[in-house]
Amino acid sequence: MSLESDTVSSFSPDEKLHDKSDVLLNSIIDYAIYLVDPAGYVTTWNTGASQLTEFEASEIIGNHFSKLFTSQDRENEYPSKMLTEAKARGRFEDEGWREKKGGIVYWSNDIVRPVYNQDGRLTGYSIVSRDISEKNKARDDFYRAFQELKQSEEKFRMLVEGVSDYAIFMLDPAGNVVTWNEGARKMKGYEAKEIVGKHFSKFYSKESIENRFPDYELKQASEKGIFEDNGWRYRKDGSAFWANTLITAIYNDQHELIGFSKITRDLTERLIMEQQLYRMNEELKDSEEKIRLLVDSVKDYAILMLTPEGNIMSWNEGAKRIKGYTADEIIGKNISTFYTREAIEEGFPQYEMKKAQELGHFEDEGWRIRKDGTAFWANVIITPIYNSENRLLGFAKITRDLTERRRNEELMLKNNELLKINNELDSFVYAASHDLKAPIINLEGLLDALKEDLGDDIQKYETLLQLMGGSVSALKNVITDLSDITKLDFVKANVESINIPALLEEIKVDLDGLINRSNADVKIGSLDFEEIKYSRKNLRSIIFNLLSNAIKYAAPHRVPEVSINTIISENGQYVLSVTDNGLGIHQSHTNKIFSLFKRAHDHVEGSGVGLYLIKRILDNSGDSILVDSKVGEGSTFSVYFNQQVNKAGA
């Protein structure tokens, strides 16, 4: 049953409603369904209308339906324009703000149809309204997300240009193409220089252009914020493809329209598949036994038949395997059994069947619930089944479990995002480590020149000069660390046998000043192994940074004690650990400290590069590092080396 046509088309203001029609209308609570006379005055009012608007029938019948609109719409005579458009077109659909009793507003979808009597005389209009405030919120969320993306134009440009499966481009307010990505080139065949500056109507049929459909799309997008459509589009070579198009209006901070974004997907293959499935379905209907044998043998798909009300009539082996119910347990029950509570409350199962009737089939992906209460991600196709007299017999429903695919897609998206972020970070680090070297050298030279110019007055500014020199040295160290990071991916390290105690003594010499200032006690503990095969430069960097951090992040009330130990684990890994009695690290920071410029304690001087450098070195060599720490007691950093694996570039 279609709420838009079949239910209302039998009503007439001049006829008394049949009892059954009355019961049916008042049983519908998710839609406001009512009639107005040719002038717009309400003549009927169903239960759904009372629940939606909070007006009782006695309060609204006889009043003009503009009472449900905002004062601005009433001033603009928009309610009357809706009736005029419905009469001219035969149907008018709109979304906008409406007012409930008491002045509370909600976002409504309204469908208006003219109603004629047997003599063809206009007797009024039927109006079907639905509260879609949640849908409007989702659209606003999308708009805000897009506004945030605009704040990073370069990242957005790189993202769009890298997409090859979608045509993504921008239009100016008149509909002329402004940008053109790789996906658009592949899908439509035009090079950027051939299409930028041209009107986007070049992708439409001659009939669509004559009917001004491209202009209609832009008008709808500018009025409603977003417009979506499926239809035939044309490539440069003249071939047609079935496209899903999403057009979004773009506004500046003054809410002035500055253009549109347009995303197009090629759905030709899916359309062909749907048509083939429909033809197969029609052919199979001619032989009930063939259908039964085919359906019962399928185990990877849940295939079932539904009554027009959505009750289950048949149940195959695939449905049992995917959803967990036996045929005896589920036949006769409604398909809402498989849906979440939220979907049931929103009437989504009924919506699916309604859309299947309107469109000939309905496809959706979403969460469904098994017998044991677990959720799975399902692809669902619902097709209405009619007899030779075009009477609805029920629906065929095919469900696929796509949970694993969804997990893989989400993981792939996360991996791609991490890779993009990592590449951007590498680009920044590379630029910073190279482009800042010359200014640092200039600062050092200027500082030396200043000291010479001061002559005998240098003692007056000794403290200030020392602070300036320290700041330049600190900045120079950061640039050096960044430079070491960039070299990790370009320089292939040589592996050699390294004596750990000897290497530690070298490092202690380099850290002599830091050790003496803090009176740190740096010692070697138990050593299960003293030799390790690794890149000397990289191992030295690992121990140097761990040791210097252990001293720098010492507890202020006790002398720093640092111990270096080695063990061989049961699975053959060589483990080198550095233990201290310092400040310790809160558990919430143990993962963040290995990120670039991230530190657990900001009051201690440091660049936030050392641990990131260690992590990159170990990632490159296939090794790992873990930290065990307790605030106020100290930390142990353990480096795990897979020595049984030959490292080509540790």
Side-chain angles (χ1 to χ4, degrees):
M1 179 184 68
S2 172
L3 292 176
E4 297 179 19
S5 58
D6 297 340
T7 302
V8 181
S9 60
S10 60
F11 298 139
S12 171
D14 301 329
E15 300 172 0
K16 183 178 181 181
L17 297 175
H18 192 279
D19 289 341
K20 289 184 179 180
S21 298
D22 228 356
V23 172
L24 177 61
L25 272 181
N26 286 307
S27 69
I28 298 172
I29 61 174
D30 296 327
Y31 291 78
I33 304 175
Y34 58 98
L35 291 172
V36 300
D37 64 18
Y41 291 89
V42 180
T43 59
T44 69
W45 194 252
N46 81 323
T47 303
S50 296
Q51 290 201 11
L52 178 60
T53 67
E54 300 182 6
F55 283 105
E56 296 299 330
S58 59
E59 298 175 302
I60 195 68
I61 290 178
N63 288 280
H64 199 274
F65 84 115
S66 61
K67 189 174 184 178
L68 305 174
F69 288 72
T70 63
S71 58
Q72 183 178 357
D73 282 344
R74 289 195 294 270
E75 289 174 5
N76 294 332
E77 299 184 350
Y78 188 67
S80 298
K81 292 177 182 177
M82 290 175 63
L83 300 184
T84 302
E85 288 294 320
K87 181 179 179 182
R89 301 182 188 178
R91 178 183 185 275
F92 180 75
E93 183 171 358
D94 175 58
E95 291 183 9
W97 293 111
R98 304 292 182 261
E99 285 191 3
K100 298 183 180 183
K101 180 181 178 181
I104 298 174
V105 296
Y106 63 96
W107 192 261
S108 176
N109 171 267
D110 297 328
I111 299 175
V112 184
R113 292 180 181 273
V115 178
Y116 299 92
N117 63 11
Q118 293 179 348
D119 299 327
R121 181 174 60 85
L122 178 69
T123 59
Y125 300 87
S126 68
I127 301 177
V128 179
S129 297
R130 182 162 56 107
D131 184 350
I132 58 170
S133 300
E134 285 301 317
K135 176 181 176 183
N136 186 55
K137 178 180 180 299
R139 184 190 67 186
D140 291 343
D141 290 344
F142 176 84
Y143 175 76
R144 284 194 296 271
F146 183 80
Q147 288 295 97
E148 291 173 1
L149 279 176
K150 287 199 300 179
Q151 295 174 3
S152 180
E153 182 178 350
E154 182 62 18
K155 290 182 179 180
F156 183 71
R157 183 187 63 79
M158 293 174 65
L159 172 65
V160 170
E161 290 183 355
V163 174
S164 60
D165 294 330
Y166 290 73
I168 305 177
F169 51 97
M170 302 289 293
L171 306 175
D172 65 22
N176 299 311
V177 178
V178 178
T179 67
W180 195 248
N181 80 323
E182 177 63 16
R185 187 191 69 80
K186 288 176 59 178
M187 186 181 299
K188 307 201 178 192
Y190 293 94
E191 297 293 337
K193 62 183 179 181
E194 297 177 306
I195 197 65
V196 170
K198 304 290 180 63
H199 197 269
F200 81 114
S201 60
K202 288 181 69 70
F203 314 132
Y204 291 72
S205 66
K206 183 178 180 181
E207 180 181 359
S208 295
I209 296 172
E210 290 175 351
N211 292 332
R212 302 183 64 82
F213 186 72
D215 295 333
Y216 170 78
E217 287 186 312
L218 298 186
K219 181 174 182 293
Q220 288 295 304
S222 61
E223 290 177 355
K224 300 178 181 179
I226 192 169
F227 179 78
E228 185 172 5
D229 174 59
N230 288 346
W232 291 108
R233 300 293 183 268
Y234 293 86
R235 300 183 178 91
K236 178 183 177 181
D237 61 7
S239 60
F241 65 99
W242 186 256
N244 170 265
T245 301
L246 189 70
I247 300 178
T248 304
I250 308 298
Y251 297 89
N252 61 16
D253 293 337
Q254 288 74 44
H255 204 66
E256 298 170 336
L257 181 67
I258 60 175
F260 302 88
S261 69
K262 192 168 190 284
I263 303 175
T264 303
R265 242 191 333 162
D266 187 349
L267 301 182
T268 308
E269 290 187 5
R270 195 175 82 173
L271 177 65
I272 294 172
M273 188 178 298
E274 291 171 353
Q275 292 172 341
Q276 290 175 343
L277 181 62
Y278 177 77
R279 287 194 295 270
M280 288 175 59
N281 182 63
E282 290 297 302
E283 294 169 2
L284 287 172
K285 282 197 299 181
D286 295 336
S287 176
E288 184 178 350
E289 182 63 19
K290 287 182 180 179
I291 293 177
R292 187 186 65 79
L293 292 173
L294 173 64
V295 170
D296 288 346
S297 66
V298 174
K299 297 182 180 180
D300 294 328
Y301 292 77
I303 304 176
L304 48 150
M305 295 293 297
L306 309 175
T307 66
E309 295 75 30
N311 298 322
I312 299 165
M313 294 192 295
S314 69
W315 193 251
N316 79 321
E317 183 64 25
K320 176 183 176 183
R321 187 183 68 81
I322 293 175
K323 306 194 180 187
Y325 295 92
T326 64
D328 293 339
E329 292 174 316
I330 199 65
I331 288 179
K333 295 186 177 179
N334 196 270
I335 57 166
S336 59
T337 304
F338 313 130
Y339 290 73
T340 63
R341 180 182 299 176
E342 181 182 6
I344 295 172
E345 291 175 352
E346 293 176 353
F348 190 69
Q350 293 75 24
Y351 169 80
E352 286 186 314
M353 292 184 290
K354 176 177 177 290
K355 296 303 289 185
Q357 283 183 264
E358 293 177 359
L359 305 175
H361 87 290
F362 179 79
E363 182 174 359
D364 174 58
E365 289 189 8
W367 292 110
R368 300 294 184 268
I369 308 300
R370 298 186 178 94
K371 177 184 176 182
D372 61 6
T374 58
F376 67 99
W377 188 259
N379 172 269
V380 177
I381 298 177
I382 299 179
T383 305
I385 307 299
Y386 300 93
N387 64 9
S388 57
E389 285 79 34
N390 204 33
R391 181 173 65 87
L392 180 67
L393 300 178
F395 301 89
K397 186 178 184 188
I398 302 174
T399 302
R400 265 195 307 164
D401 184 354
L402 299 182
T403 308
E404 193 62 32
R405 191 191 76 178
R406 178 178 172 84
R407 287 173 182 160
N408 291 337
E409 289 175 348
E410 290 176 347
L411 182 60
M412 184 178 297
L413 287 173
K414 290 179 181 178
N415 288 339
N416 289 339
E417 182 64 20
L418 288 174
L419 180 61
K420 182 171 75 69
I421 293 172
N422 194 49
N423 289 337
E424 292 172 355
L425 188 58
D426 283 348
S427 298
F428 164 74
V429 169
Y430 184 82
S433 64
H434 288 73
D435 296 348
L436 295 180
K437 283 183 179 179
I440 296 300
I441 294 173
N442 290 339
L443 284 174
E444 289 179 323
L446 292 171
L447 190 58
D448 290 339
L450 178 61
K451 290 178 180 178
E452 292 179 3
D453 291 345
L454 287 173
D456 295 336
D457 293 333
I458 191 170
Q459 292 182 350
K460 297 179 182 179
Y461 305 100
E462 187 65 31
T463 301
L464 180 60
L465 291 172
Q466 287 179 354
L467 291 173
M468 292 171 64
S471 297
V472 172
S473 296
L475 184 56
K476 187 175 181 180
N477 290 336
V478 172
I479 300 305
T480 301
D481 289 341
L482 291 175
S483 180
D484 289 341
I485 292 174
T486 62
K487 293 174 183 177
L488 288 176
D489 293 329
F490 303 110
V491 179
K492 184 175 181 181
N494 294 321
V495 175
E496 59 183 278
S497 182
I498 307 166
N499 183 272
I500 294 175
L503 180 61
L504 180 61
E505 290 303 316
E506 293 179 16
I507 295 172
K508 287 170 67 176
V509 171
D510 290 345
L511 293 174
D512 184 63
L514 180 62
I515 293 173
N516 290 334
R517 285 195 303 273
S518 61
N519 294 319
D521 179 16
V522 180
K523 60 186 177 182
I524 295 178
S526 61
L527 298 178
D528 284 3
F529 64 91
E530 294 186 7
E531 299 282 334
I532 187 171
K533 291 184 177 180
Y534 207 73
S535 160
R536 182 180 183 83
K537 176 177 70 70
N538 287 344
L539 183 60
R540 188 183 190 285
S541 181
I542 291 170
I543 298 177
F544 180 92
N545 281 288
L546 290 178
L547 188 56
S548 62
N549 278 355
I551 299 173
K552 284 192 295 185
Y553 293 100
H557 58 278
R558 55 177 176 258
V559 175
E561 295 180 358
V562 185
S563 175
I564 292 89
N565 302 273
T566 65
I567 62 170
I568 301 177
S569 67
E570 294 180 357
N571 60 1
Q573 284 185 306
Y574 281 45
V575 184
L576 183 148
S577 62
V578 177
T579 302
D580 64 64
N581 65 340
L583 294 169
I585 304 168
H586 194 277
Q587 187 176 2
S588 63
H589 291 105
T590 54
N591 289 326
K592 299 177 182 177
I593 58 175
F594 293 103
S595 300
L596 188 60
F597 304 132
K598 298 293 184 181
R599 296 189 292 150
H601 302 284
D602 294 333
H603 66 281
V604 178
E605 182 180 350
S607 63
V609 175
L611 290 178
Y612 174 79
L613 179 62
I614 292 173
K615 186 69 166 56
R616 287 291 297 271
I617 291 173
L618 295 172
D619 285 345
N620 286 349
S621 63
D623 300 311
S624 59
I625 184 170
L626 294 177
V627 58
D628 181 20
S629 184
K630 191 169 183 179
V631 175
E633 295 185 9
S635 307
T636 296
F637 286 83
S638 299
V639 183
Y640 293 80
F641 299 98
N642 296 304
Q643 284 296 287
Q644 65 270 31
V645 179
N646 183 24
K647 303 285 190 302

